Amino acid sequence: MNQNDKGALLLFLSDYRKQDPSTFHLRHSKNNQNLSFTGTQTNDAPVSYLLYSAVSDGHAIERIICVLSRKCYEEPQENTAWQRFQNFVKEYCDKTNIPVPEFVHVCYDFCISDGQAQELLSDSDSKRALRIYNKVYETAYEKDLRYFYIDFTGGLRDISYLFTMIIRNLKWIGAECSRIVYANKPSAELVRLDKTYNISKIIDSVSMFINSGNAEIMHNVFNELIPDDGTESRKIMYNLITAIKKFTDTISVCNTELIDAVIEELSEAVKASEKLSTQSIENNIYLELFRSMLPNIKQSMLPASGCKMSVLEIVKWCLDKRMIQQALTIFTEKMPDYYIEHHVCDGFVEKIGPHEIDGSMFSSWQAETFYKTLFDETECPNMAEKGVELITLINTQSNQSKEYKYSVFTNLLESYDYAGNNILASAFKRLAKFIRDRYNINPAVQNSLPLCKKPISDKECYGYFAKNDTNTPSLKQFIHHLINKDKEHAIMHYFIFDDINEFQKYRNEVNSFNAAIIGDSKVQNLEKRKLNIVKKIKSCINVERGILEEEVKARLSRLYPDETLKERLTKTSDIMRVYHAIKFIRNHTNHALNSSTDSYEKIVQDYYQKGTFIGIDFKSSLPPIDITEMNADNVVDLLKYAISISEMSQK
């Protein structure tokens, strides 16, 4: 017996009565043993049985915690009920060679002052219950008592209910209830209440899983109360409980790589459990109880259709259990696959299907398609990058004189049709016209191409790059900046936007953003990419400006005949913006970038406007979100909003 096998015996001492000894027989004894215990007072036989049982279980009763009334403490005067009970226990221990426990009394309706019992003034029912409850737990906690043996025979109804609460809450001090018994005098039986207690353990464990998503206790209780007996019904139920635990464990550690396999295993276990019948398990009350609670368990996890959980339903389940960080991670990692499978990206590229992926960047071909299709290849800033690549290529093709070289350069810009990309081709023509107009290159070949809607001055175009805004760079410097130093592709953006207001707005955002993150290269590299994505998304839905290529528009119109192009692009844009917002919060939450907190706050203050978050207008549906004051409710609202628009955007 080790030091962790210490136990306590808890009872309410009944009043002393003059009566003849009675013998009580144990009902439902182990191995059908014929056990009997004799006593003259109400508590004698059950206490004898509990002392005997503790020894059989390998536990040492260190303390007997006795709740008693003032009457039991003071009467009869010659040998009070409390004194007589202690003597009875000592005699039983001496006779059975058991160490005598320490006796601790808990006053029910009185207190002891200067060794004398005193009436408690203003001792309401609630105060009394709390006082007794605290005293029992203090007594058990003080000695680190792990196993409780409880005599449920004596006491009024309020004590019976209080004992029930104590039994239910033993787990909070790391203790458990080993045996519960009461003496039924009319039938002369000692009745064990262990099964009733075990039933409450099952109900509590299932309730904990349904409410919190923690299946650990449910799994442990099942294995404790229903050992493997080789039956098919036990195997089926065990597989289900184990699959549920595996699911919750996988969610708890955000192991997104295993989620699909775990969901499949859970779905199969649920199907198998539906074959269980009452007849197949009628001899096992605990197994039948678990089976009867299956509808509640399934309802808390599976969709109404009864099918296996989708990613959206897993995120909903996490939010319902308040697993917010898990919901953020699973949404970020698994929703790209979901969007591809539900055709959200259809139309933006000609063909979507399995392919080899860059394993260092993406977890699946679906994730790669989602990012590259919507975030990398659709909108104008990426066209600017491709435009600079093409300009670099054209600029290196000629070995002629500088004047001839630039003339060929501008002619090629005018005539080049970049893979059928009319937007980029038009931008090149505007760039060629701008160069001719500013530098008077080969005037003989100038044509009647219109200038930009609002031609910008040299200072406006070059001031962002020149050391001195009053200086006008040479053509060589201009092209050098365009190819090598225009890190934000701002000049190319101007010719793509074909709008001085849009260009100026874009450049102001870049300046503000750079000022916010100056001195923090980690945040700068990470958040510049995020900011560029946001700008791409904003430009995506502006159909009138013609950012989207004609073939993409045609495919979208063909795939979604019941929606206007703007409706479809708005839905897609909402998904992209909300997804980016959630990913931003997930990274900010998971990585806890303490060194860059100030930079993050500046980004929020300078870029994320009041009432909006990454371009999402919440004024009509959700309260404003300020990430510097972000709380759990904000994140839950955002995730619920993301779920709703994802469901509405399915094809």
Side-chain angles (χ1 to χ4, degrees):
M1 191 179 301
N2 61 51
Q3 61 178 357
N4 292 327
D5 292 331
K6 297 183 294 185
L9 195 156
L10 176 64
L11 73 149
F12 186 95
L13 187 63
S14 295
D15 295 346
Y16 175 80
R17 292 185 177 86
K18 289 185 178 181
Q19 53 192 4
D20 296 328
S22 300
T23 299
F24 290 81
H25 301 281
L26 182 65
R27 183 177 169 188
H28 304 310
S29 62
K30 188 177 181 181
N31 299 325
N32 293 317
Q33 284 183 284
N34 185 20
L35 298 176
S36 59
F37 299 87
T38 302
T40 58
Q41 299 301 310
T42 303
N43 301 104
D44 290 354
V47 167
S48 299
Y49 163 72
L50 292 173
L51 290 169
Y52 165 85
S53 298
V55 174
S56 301
D57 295 342
H59 302 151
I61 299 296
E62 295 267 328
R63 281 183 170 179
I64 293 181
I65 305 171
C66 184
V67 182
L68 71 162
S69 64
R70 184 175 183 179
K71 185 177 181 181
C72 288
Y73 186 76
E74 294 182 325
E75 299 177 6
Q77 290 185 354
E78 64 279 6
N79 188 16
T80 66
W82 173 229
Q83 293 170 336
R84 198 217 64 81
F85 173 72
Q86 294 178 73
N87 292 333
F88 171 82
V89 171
K90 291 174 183 176
E91 290 174 6
Y92 180 85
C93 290
D94 290 341
K95 184 171 60 177
T96 56
N97 199 26
I98 299 174
V100 178
E102 176 187 358
F103 294 93
V104 177
H105 70 271
V106 179
C107 301
Y108 172 69
D109 56 357
F110 70 106
C111 67
I112 296 177
S113 178
D114 298 326
Q116 298 295 319
Q118 302 289 334
E119 181 182 357
L120 281 173
L121 301 176
S122 304
D123 192 30
S124 63
D125 291 342
S126 57
K127 286 183 179 179
R128 181 188 303 126
L130 183 60
R131 177 168 48 78
I132 295 172
Y133 181 93
N134 288 336
K135 182 64 175 177
V136 169
Y137 275 103
E138 286 171 9
T139 303
Y141 190 77
E142 182 184 25
K143 284 282 189 176
D144 193 23
L145 305 178
R146 299 295 182 88
Y147 302 95
F148 270 67
Y149 291 78
I150 300 175
D151 173 14
F152 219 71
T153 307
L156 303 173
R157 289 187 178 181
D158 62 335
I159 283 294
S160 297
Y161 185 75
L162 179 60
F163 272 25
T164 301
M165 294 300 100
I166 290 173
I167 292 167
R168 287 175 63 90
N169 292 318
L170 284 174
K171 58 179 177 286
W172 302 121
I173 60 169
E176 64 179 65
C177 182
S178 295
R179 308 256 180 146
I180 311 175
V181 69
Y182 82 93
N184 186 340
K185 190 169 183 178
S187 64
E189 286 184 319
L190 290 177
V191 182
R192 287 183 59 178
L193 301 178
D194 301 3
K195 281 196 173 180
T196 304
Y197 170 65
N198 289 338
I199 287 172
S200 73
K201 283 173 69 174
I202 292 173
I203 294 172
D204 287 347
S205 70
V206 173
S207 176
M208 175 172 285
F209 164 69
I210 291 173
N211 291 325
S212 72
N214 185 342
E216 178 74 19
I217 294 178
M218 183 172 70
H219 187 263
N220 292 343
V221 167
F222 181 90
N223 286 325
E224 173 195 343
L225 300 181
I226 313 174
D228 190 359
D229 57 3
T231 60
E232 184 66 16
S233 55
R234 196 267 180 190
K235 179 182 177 182
I236 290 173
M237 190 66 74
Y238 171 81
N239 289 342
L240 175 61
I241 301 296
T242 301
I244 291 173
K245 182 178 182 296
K246 190 179 293 186
F247 166 77
T248 59
D249 288 349
T250 301
I251 297 298
S252 297
V253 297
C254 301
N255 192 339
T256 55
E257 291 184 5
L258 286 182
I259 284 179
D260 292 339
V262 167
I263 289 295
E264 190 64 38
E265 183 178 336
L266 177 60
S267 179
E268 293 300 318
V270 168
K271 289 178 184 176
S273 70
E274 293 170 352
K275 301 175 184 177
L276 283 174
S277 63
T278 305
Q279 289 76 16
S280 66
I281 54 179
E282 61 185 2
N283 293 326
N284 191 322
I285 186 173
Y286 300 144
L287 201 56
E288 167 57 23
L289 180 58
F290 268 110
R291 190 202 66 80
S292 69
M293 300 182 77
L294 277 180
N296 306 85
I297 294 172
K298 286 192 245 181
Q299 186 179 6
S300 74
M301 300 182 68
L302 302 181
S305 63
C307 302
K308 63 183 180 182
M309 300 171 78
S310 69
V311 178
L312 283 181
E313 282 146 353
I314 294 173
V315 175
K316 288 179 186 177
W317 185 85
C318 290
L319 293 178
D320 186 52
K321 312 309 174 195
R322 210 65 177 174
M323 297 182 179
I324 299 173
Q325 194 160 355
Q326 286 83 353
L328 284 168
T329 300
I330 291 168
F331 188 96
T332 301
E333 298 298 324
K334 299 298 292 183
M335 282 307 290
D337 292 18
Y338 179 91
Y339 289 137
I340 294 297
E341 291 165 5
H342 289 79
H343 310 287
V344 171
C345 296
D346 286 10
F348 289 90
V349 291
E350 188 172 357
K351 184 179 180 181
I352 294 178
H355 57 267
E356 291 185 8
I357 62 171
D358 179 356
S360 63
M361 292 287 292
F362 302 101
S363 60
S364 65
W365 70 264
Q366 293 96 329
E368 183 179 51
T369 302
F370 174 73
Y371 280 103
K372 288 191 173 181
T373 299
L374 292 186
F375 287 98
D376 292 343
E377 296 178 359
T378 313
E379 296 81 35
C380 64
N382 197 58
M383 292 179 189
E385 296 171 16
K386 292 180 179 179
V388 172
E389 291 174 9
L390 181 61
I391 293 167
T392 305
L393 175 64
I394 295 173
N395 194 36
T396 58
Q397 285 181 344
S398 174
N399 295 319
Q400 307 298 322
S401 66
K402 181 171 67 174
E403 291 77 12
Y404 180 77
K405 184 177 180 178
Y406 290 142
S407 177
V408 172
F409 176 75
T410 52
N411 285 332
L412 285 171
L413 284 176
E414 277 188 346
S415 60
Y416 198 88
D417 183 5
Y418 184 63
N421 190 324
N422 297 329
I423 300 167
L424 201 53
S426 297
F428 289 162
K429 291 178 181 179
R430 286 192 286 270
L431 176 58
K433 184 61 180 172
F434 177 84
I435 292 173
R436 285 204 181 95
D437 181 58
R438 293 300 186 270
Y439 292 97
N440 195 27
I441 297 295
N442 198 1
V445 298
Q446 287 192 25
N447 55 34
S448 58
L449 283 174
L451 293 174
C452 299
K453 294 176 183 177
K454 294 181 181 179
I456 56 179
S457 67
D458 290 342
K459 182 177 179 180
E460 287 175 318
C461 189
Y462 308 131
Y464 183 59
F465 307 100
K467 292 181 180 179
N468 187 334
D469 285 355
T470 60
N471 294 334
T472 299
S474 67
L475 178 57
K476 182 178 179 180
Q477 289 174 319
F478 171 74
I479 295 177
H480 178 72
H481 276 296
L482 183 64
I483 295 173
N484 299 311
K485 294 190 176 181
D486 184 5
K487 301 302 184 184
E488 298 293 337
H489 308 308
I491 296 177
M492 196 66 225
H493 275 91
Y494 169 74
F495 294 102
I496 289 175
F497 281 123
D498 191 23
D499 187 330
I500 184 61
N501 293 327
E502 283 293 328
F503 172 66
Q504 195 61 49
K505 181 180 177 184
Y506 169 84
R507 203 167 70 182
N508 289 341
E509 287 177 347
V510 171
N511 286 335
S512 174
F513 183 78
N514 287 340
I517 60 179
I518 189 167
D520 194 333
S521 58
K522 269 190 175 181
V523 180
Q524 183 172 358
N525 292 335
L526 177 65
E527 292 306 320
K528 270 190 178 180
R529 293 197 298 270
K530 294 177 181 295
L531 184 64
N532 282 333
I533 291 172
V534 174
K535 288 191 289 290
K536 294 178 192 179
I537 296 167
K538 286 183 176 180
S539 67
C540 177
I541 66 170
N542 196 336
V543 181
E544 291 77 12
R545 196 166 66 227
I547 294 301
L548 216 58
E549 296 180 32
E550 293 300 324
E551 59 186 49
V552 175
K553 295 180 184 178
R555 282 198 298 266
L556 290 173
S557 298
R558 186 172 65 253
L559 288 169
Y560 303 96
D562 297 331
E563 296 177 339
T564 66
L565 187 58
K566 192 163 188 175
E567 287 172 341
R568 170 46 43 181
L569 290 174
T570 299
K571 288 181 179 180
T572 305
S573 175
D574 284 345
I575 285 176
M576 295 163 69
R577 288 184 290 174
V578 176
Y579 178 83
H580 176 57
I582 291 171
K583 187 169 185 179
F584 182 92
I585 295 172
R586 191 283 301 262
N587 291 343
H588 184 60
T589 303
N590 286 8
H591 299 315
L593 300 175
N594 296 327
S595 62
S596 58
T597 299
D598 292 342
S599 296
Y600 269 99
E601 290 181 358
K602 288 177 183 176
I603 292 168
V604 173
Q605 292 164 2
D606 293 344
Y607 185 73
Y608 302 111
Q609 300 295 319
K610 196 78 171 176
T612 66
F613 184 62
I614 314 187
I616 307 166
D617 185 1
F618 288 101
K619 291 179 180 177
S620 59
S621 57
L622 291 172
I625 294 179
D626 182 349
I627 202 169
T628 58
E629 299 178 357
M630 182 178 63
N631 59 46
D633 290 336
N634 294 149
V635 178
V636 169
D637 287 341
L638 181 60
L639 281 162
K640 287 180 178 179
Y641 178 71
I643 290 170
S644 67
I645 65 172
S646 297
E647 290 174 334
M648 291 189 297
S649 298
Q650 297 177 20
K651 183 179 175 182

